[in-house]
């Protein structure tokens, strides 16, 4: 139906975060879809208290394999997707329906929004390498395709409108080391060829080049003014999660062996979801 919005999220034992999330979106969406990985807390009860349609799925430990399944369950043309540790910023929340109406008139298929990473422990916004962390989280369900293994941007068939920075999503989850290792392992399997003009030589020399990669990001952030504080200790703390993750990914790629390289090639060619099907 034109102009109506379905909301999807993925949960497992995340009842407190889910309640905050559903309070944030309940007034601006017309349907709530929760894909739940067999939670043993009261996640399902909280979801149903907000009128959500809950679907149980095998707990993979991350959302990506179930994204196309979730899209198959939505009733309306437009979809808003957020993780359970994300929220709509005030301006995006207040204007999301107007944006969707505008997209219908101007034939946009999706919106790109900035995601602001907020460190709960330090109570500050994390700038640095990940900023602006642009995401595609509002889109037409019949114009999107997810294929990859982890941290994949959706493939959009149509025009994407890049919203100004004041329309943002807040990500308030603090990265856990064991989660970073898990995601790094998955990404090391996914990428068959992973290029970036400046960083590629550093990736190829991992883990020896790790200090040079951190230095590269530190200098780049100063040049691009992505870090408001030039204090080296503060800057390195901001750089740490992103650099640590990237170092892990490309170190694992260097040592993944022939079998995992073949798997990564298949995932790159056909997509994880098609291979699972």
């Amino acid at each position: 139906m034109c102009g109506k919005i379905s909301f999807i999220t993925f949960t497992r034992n995340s009842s407190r975060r889910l309640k905050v999330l559903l309070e944030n979106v309940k007034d601006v969406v017309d349907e709530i879809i929760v894909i739940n990985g067999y939670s043993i807390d009261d996640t399902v009860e909280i979801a149903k208290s907000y009128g959500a349609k809950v679907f149980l799925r095998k707990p993979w430990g991350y959302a990506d394999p179930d994204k196309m399944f979730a899209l198959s369950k939505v009733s309306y043309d437009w979809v808003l997707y957020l993780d359970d540790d994300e929220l709509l910023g005030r301006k995006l929340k207040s204007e999301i329906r107007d944006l969707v109406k505008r997209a219908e008139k101007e034939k946009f298929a999706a919106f790109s929004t900035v995601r602001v990473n907020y460190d709960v422990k330090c109570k500050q916004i994390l700038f640095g390498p990940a900023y602006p962390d642009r995401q595609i989280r509002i889109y037409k369900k019949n114009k999107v395709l997810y294929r990859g293994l982890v941290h994949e941007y959706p493939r959009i068939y149509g025009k994407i409108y890049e919203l100004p920075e004041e329309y943002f999503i807040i990500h308030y989850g603090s990265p856990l080391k064991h989660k970073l290792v898990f995601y790094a392992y998955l990404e090391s399997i996914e990428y068959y060829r992973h290029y970036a003009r400046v960083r590629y030589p550093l990736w190829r020399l991992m883990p020896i080049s790790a200090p040079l990669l951190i230095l590269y990001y530190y200098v780049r952030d100063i040049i691009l003014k992505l870090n408001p504080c030039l204090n080296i200790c503060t800057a390195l703390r901001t750089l740490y999660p992103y650099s640590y993750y990237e170092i892990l990914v490309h170190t694992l790629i260097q040592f993944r062996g022939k079998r995992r390289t073949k798997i990564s090639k298949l995932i790159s060619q056909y997509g994880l979801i098609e291979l699972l099907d």
Side-chain angles (χ1 to χ4, degrees):
M1 295 177 68
C2 183
K4 290 199 171 185
I5 303 170
S6 293
F7 173 70
I8 59 173
T9 192
F10 303 84
T11 64
R12 186 165 191 263
N13 299 330
S14 54
S15 56
R16 286 201 292 182
R17 292 196 303 272
L18 181 63
K19 187 171 184 177
V20 174
L21 171 61
L22 296 185
E23 278 293 324
N24 179 248
V25 303
K26 67 178 183 178
D27 297 327
V28 296
V29 298
D30 302 286
E31 175 185 54
I32 297 172
I33 303 291
V34 174
I35 309 301
N36 179 56
Y38 288 91
S39 296
I40 59 174
D41 64 0
D42 56 349
T43 292
V44 172
E45 289 75 14
I46 287 172
K48 288 183 177 179
S49 73
Y50 284 86
K53 299 175 184 177
V54 180
F55 298 91
L56 299 179
R57 295 287 281 178
K58 174 183 175 180
W60 299 91
Y62 64 111
D64 297 68
D66 285 327
K67 286 180 179 176
M68 291 306 296
F69 171 80
L71 285 174
S72 73
K73 299 302 179 183
V74 305
S75 304
Y76 304 119
D77 289 341
W78 281 92
V79 174
L80 166 66
Y81 154 52
L82 294 175
D83 289 327
D84 62 12
D85 58 356
E86 296 174 333
L87 299 170
L88 293 174
R90 185 178 298 175
K91 190 171 180 64
L92 181 56
K93 178 180 176 179
S94 65
E95 297 185 25
I96 187 170
R97 288 194 181 276
D98 292 335
L99 291 171
V100 165
K101 289 177 184 176
R102 177 183 173 185
E104 292 283 0
K105 291 179 181 178
E106 300 185 24
K107 306 299 181 184
F108 292 116
F111 291 95
S112 163
T113 67
V114 167
R115 183 171 68 169
V116 174
N117 293 290
Y118 181 77
D119 190 314
V120 177
K121 289 182 180 179
C122 298
K123 296 183 179 180
Q124 66 178 16
I125 295 171
L126 296 179
F127 292 95
Y131 189 87
D133 180 11
R134 282 209 164 263
Q135 302 282 325
I136 297 174
R137 300 298 189 83
I138 307 166
Y139 45 70
K140 298 197 78 169
K141 69 176 181 180
N142 61 347
K143 298 290 185 181
V144 65
L145 176 66
Y146 288 97
R147 297 179 68 250
L149 182 58
V150 67
H151 291 162
E152 181 200 22
Y153 286 98
R155 181 177 297 177
I156 300 296
Y157 297 94
K159 293 192 296 182
I160 300 171
Y161 184 86
E162 191 170 290
L163 290 168
E165 290 189 25
E166 59 263 31
Y167 295 88
F168 58 82
I169 291 167
I170 305 163
H171 175 236
Y172 63 89
S174 297
L176 301 173
K177 279 190 177 182
H178 72 274
K179 274 286 189 181
L180 288 176
V181 172
F182 175 63
Y183 286 134
Y185 170 74
L186 292 174
E187 192 162 333
S188 73
I189 294 175
E190 179 174 21
Y191 281 104
Y192 176 57
R193 292 188 178 129
H194 192 183
Y195 292 118
R197 284 180 296 178
V198 177
R199 287 171 288 166
Y200 184 70
L202 299 176
W203 289 342
R204 294 287 293 170
L205 294 172
M206 283 297 166
I208 298 169
S209 59
L212 292 175
L213 181 69
I214 295 170
L215 178 62
Y216 161 75
Y217 278 130
Y218 177 64
V219 173
R220 192 194 74 162
D221 287 1
I222 291 173
I223 293 171
L224 298 179
K225 298 180 180 178
L226 294 178
N227 201 319
C229 179
L230 297 182
N231 179 282
I232 190 166
C233 293
T234 303
L236 290 176
R237 189 176 65 202
T238 303
L239 289 171
Y240 166 74
Y242 192 91
S243 302
Y244 174 73
Y245 179 77
E246 194 166 307
I247 289 164
L248 275 176
V249 169
H250 292 283
T251 299
L252 289 168
I253 285 174
Q254 298 309 312
F255 296 99
R256 68 185 170 190
K258 291 182 179 179
R259 181 173 175 273
R260 286 180 182 160
T261 299
K262 287 180 180 178
I263 292 171
S264 72
K265 187 174 183 179
L266 287 171
I267 292 171
S268 296
Q269 287 178 333
Y270 302 106
L272 174 72
I273 293 166
E274 289 185 32
L275 291 171
L276 289 175
D277 291 341

